[in-house]
Amino acid sequence: MIQKNKIKTIWMYFTIGLMIVTVFSLLAFVFQLQIFELFNYNNNPTTENLIRIAVLSVEKKDGQRMDKYVPVALSLADFVDIASSERIFISKLKNRTIYDNESNAYRTYYKLMIEYVMHPFFNEDYDEYQRRFQYYFPLMAEDFSQGSSWSLLEWAHFYTNIKRFTDAQYDRLIYSLNYNLPEPFVVTKENVGEAYERAYTFLILSYVYYEMGEINRFNELENRASDLMSEIERVKKQSDMMP
């Protein structure tokens, strides 16, 4: 009888302990961002912790902290170097070996940028969305002109995973992208940068139409982007040959 009571007592304390650990683990997960901000970032506001809290704010969809930390993190000239060396990535990338650390750092950088740009869009603050879009979109297009395709990948993932745009929201997305497509346009050595931005815009716009199910429009825009890139290369080669 005494032995049974001891076993019951041990089991009771074990159960209580397990419940306490579970509750604290749940609270730590739910308030992970707030805990990190209070005990880590506020006490040690390094660039590494800045990137960490920016990533956490995006993952937790915390608009207030996203607005506070993400643009500062994105302005770091060494964001990719720090994120790569410290392995500060969006969670879904941490255990993947398909890309190296630098690639994952670039993907994290553009994931933060896209989420920051699009956050006011989902709150129907379209003026703020347009302001952010017009600032960051050309930066992504400029990186594309330097041979980076990571932002294209992240835009594709973003549009594929959201699956919650209304027809009116699709119209706004198309309007924002068409803003970067003035007509007519002829590629010259003086406007190669603008030409790259147009090609980049065609590609992003094609993703939107693909998600809308308009495959013909998708193919048309993909072809226009391809033709424009070919024209850019032709003009660049001609410029290199000029004395």
Side-chain angles (χ1 to χ4, degrees):
M1 187 66 179
I2 295 175
Q3 186 68 21
K4 287 184 177 181
N5 288 336
K6 285 184 177 180
I7 293 174
K8 286 182 179 179
T9 301
I10 293 171
W11 181 251
M12 180 184 68
Y13 282 119
F14 173 78
T15 303
I16 293 172
L18 183 62
M19 290 176 62
I20 292 172
V21 170
T22 302
V23 169
F24 274 101
S25 298
L26 181 61
L27 289 173
F29 176 78
V30 172
F31 296 104
Q32 181 183 7
L33 175 56
Q34 292 86 340
I35 292 171
F36 184 87
E37 181 181 46
L38 182 62
F39 294 104
N40 294 84
Y41 184 75
N42 288 346
N43 291 329
N44 189 24
T46 62
T47 51
E48 291 89 342
N49 280 340
L50 171 61
I51 295 174
R52 286 190 177 95
I53 198 168
V55 169
L56 276 172
S57 69
V58 166
E59 293 193 319
K60 299 297 184 181
K61 304 294 184 183
D62 188 309
Q64 182 178 358
R65 289 178 175 85
M66 198 186 299
D67 291 347
K68 182 178 181 180
Y69 297 116
V70 171
V72 183
L74 293 175
S75 69
L76 295 173
D78 51 357
F79 180 107
V80 171
D81 291 337
I82 294 171
S84 178
S85 63
E86 299 296 325
R87 299 193 80 251
I88 309 171
F89 311 137
I90 293 292
S91 293
K92 68 177 182 179
L93 301 174
K94 287 184 178 179
N95 297 320
R96 292 191 176 183
T97 58
I98 187 172
Y99 300 116
D100 58 25
N101 284 351
E102 183 181 36
S103 299
N104 284 337
Y106 272 112
R107 289 193 61 184
T108 297
Y109 176 78
Y110 288 117
K111 172 72 171 177
L112 262 61
M113 188 176 290
I114 291 169
E115 291 286 348
Y116 177 72
V117 167
M118 295 302 298
H119 179 72
F121 184 92
F122 293 112
N123 291 331
E124 298 185 356
D125 185 355
Y126 297 119
D127 289 339
E128 176 61 17
Y129 153 71
Q130 194 67 25
R131 185 190 69 80
R132 295 183 187 186
F133 183 89
Q134 290 180 9
Y135 178 80
Y136 284 103
F137 193 81
L139 298 182
M140 288 185 265
E142 183 178 353
D143 288 346
F144 171 74
S145 73
Q146 302 300 317
S148 173
S149 60
W150 295 117
S151 65
L152 288 175
L153 178 62
E154 288 309 311
W155 274 119
H157 276 274
F158 177 82
Y159 287 131
T160 300
N161 293 330
I162 291 297
K163 297 295 185 185
R164 59 179 181 184
F165 291 120
T166 65
D167 290 342
Q169 287 175 324
Y170 275 123
D171 288 341
R172 287 186 178 276
L173 291 173
I174 292 168
Y175 171 82
S176 297
L177 289 160
N178 280 330
Y179 182 86
N180 296 292
L181 296 172
E183 300 285 358
F185 185 84
V186 177
V187 182
T188 67
K189 65 178 182 178
E190 289 80 14
N191 65 13
V192 164
E194 185 180 350
Y196 272 116
E197 184 171 342
R198 289 173 63 86
Y200 183 81
T201 305
F202 282 138
L203 290 171
I204 305 301
L205 193 55
S206 73
Y207 298 162
V208 175
Y209 279 106
Y210 181 85
E211 292 304 320
M212 294 174 67
E214 297 190 22
I215 304 304
N216 289 338
R217 192 78 173 107
F218 162 77
N219 290 330
E220 175 192 341
L221 290 163
E222 288 267 291
N223 291 335
R224 292 187 71 179
S226 178
D227 291 345
L228 187 52
M229 291 296 294
S230 297
E231 184 66 10
I232 290 170
E233 291 304 310
R234 184 188 67 79
V235 170
K236 287 172 66 177
K237 285 180 181 179
Q238 284 184 342
S239 298
D240 292 339
M241 295 172 59
M242 294 177 63

